[in-house]
Amino acid sequence: MPELPEVETIKNELLPHIVGHQITGVTLFWDGIVRQPSVGEFCSRLIGQRLTRVARRGKYLILSLTSHEVLIIHLKMTGSLLLKPASAEPDRFIRAILHLNGETAIHFRDPRKLGAMWLVEDENTIIGKLGPEPLEAEFTPQILLTRLSKRRAPIKALLFDQTFIAGIGNMYADEALFAAGIHPLRSGGNLSPDEVGRLHRAVQQVLRNGIKNMGASTDTYYRPSGETGFAHHHFQIAHRGGKPCPACGTPIERIPIRNRGSYFCPKCQPAPK
DNA sequence: CCCGGAACCTGAAGGC
DNA sequence: TGCCTTCAGGTTCCGG
């Protein structure tokens, strides 16, 4: 499930192979992957464009084109972008192919068909409501404290709310809360300034570690080369229900929050109230 | 505005 | 062996 570190890795590894290349063709195996504009418009306006820049915002990839339009891609839960030779046969989960000059192609693989692409003139129509980038200078402990004040929702729910802060999903939210020693059901607005400081530091640390390890291949995440990432080998808490807490040995618990499995240590992360 | 739950989507895993 | 249910969770939508 690609979150910020996975999308950042994909961006970094895709970039040198595609910037400066021209889109020579588009093949769609599932039309639903195109959200905007119509499928016909999407393909005809894309063909002939050169890619000038690849960027990331939250979990979105933004590919800039010579027409000054942007191709925005979201991988949702099970999507990956694979670099393939032009002659490669698509497997049964490939939903779209972007053919590039220079005998390469980008295969958009997505078993669960939740992924999406948009071709728009103004990227803000798609990503305009995202919260701050957690690894940018704008994201300070003070900003986090201000944004948390008066919020009653569980801190876990706020961490993976993309309008609250961009790029964090279920796994890295659990990892950050464990590193900060904060129970996932604590109300956001009730955290002390000291706890907010620890959480700010923990968020940046787990995301940077994720990037350093080229993302977490817990499910269907692959890098553009088809290789897996390694970040899941370093997870302390996420997806480790029943196993001993790495800090104190207490069995890790799992509770649903907003329909997501949330893993935490009941001793290192004391329950609210 | 804030919050919580359902819907979208399908493969994997587990129960019987 | 196979059918059925449940689970996975990023985003959007909707109701209170």
Side-chain angles (χ1 to χ4, degrees), chain A residues 194-209:
Chain A
D194 181 57
E195 288 172 321
V196 173
R198 283 183 353 233
L199 182 58
H200 173 269
R201 195 180 158 77
V203 161
Q204 294 201 325
Q205 179 213 311
V206 300
L207 295 177
R208 288 202 178 106
N209 273 337

Side-chain angles (χ1 to χ4, degrees), chain A residues 20-81:
Chain A
H21 285 252
Q22 191 177 34
I23 299 173
T24 56
V26 179
T27 308
L28 294 174
F29 299 97
W30 179 63
D31 285 353
I33 202 164
V34 175
R35 303 300 167 91
Q36 200 184 320
S38 68
V39 165
E41 281 267 310
F42 179 87
C43 297
S44 64
R45 274 157 61 180
L46 221 39
I47 291 171
Q49 297 300 319
R50 208 153 30 78
L51 295 162
T52 57
R53 173 176 165 268
V54 182
R56 178 194 59 75
R57 174 82 170 95
K59 302 172 191 170
Y60 293 80
L61 278 171
I62 304 162
L63 282 61
S64 302
L65 307 167
T66 33
S67 65
H68 298 296
E69 290 177 297
V70 288
L71 171 63
I72 299 183
I73 298 177
H74 199 299
L75 301 169
K76 298 286 177 84
M77 283 189 57
T78 58
S80 44
L81 296 176

Side-chain angles (χ1 to χ4, degrees), chain A residues 116-162:
Chain A
M117 294 193 280
W118 302 261
L119 181 61
V120 293
E121 291 181 14
D122 179 3
E123 62 186 35
N124 282 324
T125 60
I126 307 299
I127 60 171
K129 289 179 180 162
L130 291 177
E133 273 297 315
L135 295 181
E136 296 294 321
E138 60 180 344
F139 180 63
T140 61
Q142 183 55 49
I143 287 286
L144 181 58
L145 187 63
T146 304
R147 291 180 72 81
L148 282 171
S149 68
K150 295 176 189 162
R151 297 296 297 262
R152 295 178 288 113
I155 183 62
K156 169 74 185 280
L158 294 173
L159 282 181
F160 62 61
D161 176 349
Q162 301 303 296

Side-chain angles (χ1 to χ4, degrees), chain A residues 105-123:
Chain A
I106 302 172
H107 288 208
F108 193 149
R109 185 174 191 275
D110 186 21
R112 243 180 265 174
K113 288 185 172 177
L114 293 165
M117 294 193 280
W118 302 261
L119 181 61
V120 293
E121 291 181 14
D122 179 3
E123 62 186 35

Side-chain angles (χ1 to χ4, degrees), chain A residues 204-221:
Chain A
Q204 294 201 325
Q205 179 213 311
V206 300
L207 295 177
R208 288 202 178 106
N209 273 337
I211 294 170
K212 200 170 73 186
N213 289 293
M214 292 170 288
S217 293
T218 49
D219 193 1
T220 56
Y221 164 73

